[in-house]
Amino acid sequence: MKQLLFPNNIQFWYETLRSMSHIAYGGADFGEVVSTGERIVEGDYNSWYTEWLATADRVSGEAEKALKAGHRVSARDGFLRASNYYRSAEFFLHGHPCDPRHNKAYNQSVACFRAAAALFTTPRIEPVEIPYEGTTLPGYLYRVDGSGAPRPTLIMHNGFDGTAEELHFFGAMAGVERGYNVLVLDGPGMPGLRHHQGLVFRPDWENVITPVVDFAETLPEVDNSRIALLGISMGGILAPRAAAFEHRLAALIAVDGLYDLGQTSVRNIPGTRE
């Protein structure tokens, strides 16, 4: 489609579209996205951070006021959008992990999402800590209802730059609407563990997912014979690796499926791969 904003910067436009794509499940408002984009200086990463942070601060402030006034639905919706806007603010800081702005925006994104999650009645969204090699993986359990009935369950994780919180808009809510319990997580290398524990990616992803399946099988709401794994973005190469070794998984979805991430990474760089 025609670039409505940032005509000379495909990166900025792509990330703007990313926010727009979350409108369907309450992660953005079209007017808020466009008005923020119009304030950003094209190609200026500091401007990107400043303007998205300003929008996130304003929307989260309105959500706080709504909550204090007893308007729980308005507060929930505001916190959801603010969470996504904070995520967008810190996106281009990924190359500078020591930048304090990085942690500030990320932590605010998580705080806003958890505030929104607490205000949902259906589905029930519960923060969870999944045991993993002497520590835990942060995530969320989405229960279709409070019946405790075993249901097919979808495990979801993102890739390099997406968060567990963003998965709410990427498919967690869609799965719940279709009768699935959903368990989303950040694995090592993903934002939750990278920000707070310094854990980086590992190629043997089955050693990440097996503890997650172990955890899922302890939940009475999970039908152990119907557990699926979905990986998004770089998760499209990690999830298939895990499924090749973790045979309790009944289904695998790779969005997008990547056979060789190295080939993708070096295709625009002169010289041989070596």
Side-chain angles (χ1 to χ4, degrees):
M1 65 179 291
K2 179 181 178 181
Q3 292 178 217
L4 303 178
L5 298 164
F6 312 117
N8 300 307
N9 193 301
I10 192 65
Q11 278 189 320
F12 276 25
W13 175 237
Y14 183 88
E15 287 306 311
T16 300
L17 281 178
R18 182 171 176 170
S19 287
M20 287 183 180
S21 73
H22 296 333
I23 290 173
Y25 284 97
D29 172 85
F30 183 81
E32 290 170 347
V33 172
V34 171
S35 64
T36 303
E38 287 181 333
R39 300 195 308 266
I40 294 170
V41 178
E42 188 169 12
D44 186 329
Y45 296 126
N46 289 324
S47 176
W48 176 277
Y49 172 84
T50 298
E51 298 305 336
W52 275 112
L53 190 79
T55 296
D57 284 343
R58 179 182 62 79
V59 174
S60 66
E62 291 174 352
E64 290 281 2
K65 291 178 182 177
L67 184 60
K68 289 178 181 177
H71 305 305
R72 292 171 60 88
V73 173
S74 296
R76 178 200 67 195
D77 292 352
F79 283 131
L80 273 183
R81 300 199 313 280
S83 174
N84 190 40
Y85 298 157
Y86 281 121
R87 179 205 57 77
S88 188
E90 59 98 27
F91 179 82
F92 288 112
L93 300 177
H94 281 220
H96 304 278
C98 59
D99 190 325
R101 297 176 299 173
H102 201 247
N103 279 347
K104 176 184 177 181
Y106 172 75
N107 290 339
Q108 285 293 97
S109 177
V110 173
C112 283
F113 184 81
R114 293 194 172 199
L119 295 170
F120 273 86
T121 53
T122 303
R124 297 167 61 199
I125 307 174
E126 175 190 349
V128 294
E129 298 290 336
I130 303 168
Y132 167 77
E133 294 193 354
T135 184
T136 57
L137 308 177
Y140 301 90
L141 175 63
Y142 291 68
R143 294 182 174 93
V144 174
D145 55 35
S147 69
R151 293 178 179 273
T153 298
L154 179 64
I155 297 171
M156 294 183 66
H157 63 68
N158 226 310
F160 170 70
D161 54 72
T163 64
E165 290 74 25
E166 189 185 13
L167 290 170
H168 180 90
F169 318 112
F170 262 149
M173 279 296 292
V176 169
E177 288 178 341
R178 289 158 177 80
Y180 292 84
N181 292 318
V182 181
L183 178 61
V184 305
L185 68 130
D186 275 344
M190 296 172 184
L193 275 76
R194 191 172 70 243
H195 278 277
H196 296 303
Q197 300 188 46
L199 295 182
V200 298
F201 285 106
R202 56 187 297 176
D204 53 343
W205 203 247
E206 67 275 12
N207 288 316
V208 177
I209 295 303
T210 288
V212 178
V213 177
D214 290 342
F215 175 79
E217 288 192 336
T218 68
L219 304 172
E221 298 91 348
V222 173
D223 179 343
N224 294 348
S225 68
R226 293 189 292 173
I227 299 176
L229 174 64
L230 188 154
I232 292 175
S233 191
M234 198 173 97
I237 196 170
L238 297 172
R241 161 75 193 213
F245 293 91
E246 177 45 76
H247 300 300
R248 290 174 292 176
L249 295 170
L252 167 72
I253 308 98
V255 185
D256 291 320
L258 299 177
Y259 177 72
D260 183 351
L261 184 60
Q263 185 180 58
T264 302
S265 301
V266 302
R267 64 187 175 191
N268 296 318
I269 301 174
T272 66
R273 176 165 174 168
E274 289 71 22

